[in-house]
Amino acid sequence: MGDVVWAQVRSGAGRLVERPVGELRREQLELHDPVWQPARYRGRRAIATWWRLADQARHVGCGTLRAREAALSLEFDPQVVTFASWPVRLTWAGRGPGWVPDFFVRLADGQAMLLVCRPGDGTGSRWAQTLELMEAAGRQADWQLRVFGGAEDAVVAGNRQRLSQWRHARLRDADTARILHQVFVRPQPVTEGVRASGLPELPTVARALHLIWSQELLIDWTKPFVPARSLVWSPMGAP
């Protein structure tokens, strides 16, 4: 039994229970309460924050700034439906304190995924043991595993951070989107395209930025995005 991964989760009544991780194959852990939260104390180096999921009336906890980056990257991923922080603690049967993955993720195809943030060094024996445990849990519960090592590109990450202000679905409007796709067949900056649309400027800029966040209007993500200068285009056009 030494190679069996055990999982600690909270029951509907809030009690901690332990089960072999394979028994959680069909469990919606994204709906469970956390089994752990980072302690807050004076001098703590890691920064614990809460990230509000767009269009969902709940928050997810981020134990570090890297975890916060990971939460933003998950919201940006069109394959991600929802995710929760710290709903499961994993451990080898009968040994070790175990490890709590940063996020439990539900994908659009129904598949579950663990996301684990790589620590700053990411090379020590403790990290290697963590990866071994997470990979074994993934095999036994049929979960995918994603390791987040930080933003792959500082410019992409900066663009994503700025545009996340317009990620909420309340900015979606089908009629406005249809007009903007027609306008941005010709690549041009957001401000010029909005003026050309003839629509009210302020709400239309917000809706255009939402379309960029949702990747329905396109930009060059590898360059700093400036609404007054950066080219935007519809997939129906050409950059």
Side-chain angles (χ1 to χ4, degrees), residues 66 69 148-154 156-158 160:
R66 178 163 292 180
E69 289 180 29
F148 184 81
E152 66 285 357
D153 181 276
V156 173
R160 198 159 54 197

Side-chain angles (χ1 to χ4, degrees), residues 63-161:
T64 63
L65 289 177
R66 178 163 292 180
R68 193 176 186 278
E69 289 180 29
L72 180 55
S73 74
L74 288 171
E75 284 230 89
F76 185 69
D77 187 339
Q79 297 304 312
V80 172
V81 174
T82 190
F83 55 100
S85 51
W86 317 312
V88 60
R89 182 189 301 276
L90 301 168
T91 185
W92 295 112
R95 58 186 171 95
W99 192 269
V100 179
D102 293 273
F103 300 112
F104 184 88
V105 185
R106 184 65 60 184
L107 302 175
D109 62 1
Q111 178 73 41
M113 181 176 74
L114 301 176
L115 185 142
V116 186
C117 291
R118 186 189 303 274
D121 50 23
T123 57
S125 60
R126 173 64 170 154
W127 173 243
Q129 293 167 6
T130 298
L131 275 185
E132 182 183 5
L133 175 62
M134 296 297 116
E135 290 168 352
R139 289 192 299 271
Q140 293 173 30
D142 193 26
W143 296 337
Q144 294 182 23
L145 174 64
R146 180 183 299 179
V147 176
F148 184 81
E152 66 285 357
D153 181 276
V155 175
V156 173
N159 288 337
R160 198 159 54 197
Q161 177 66 48

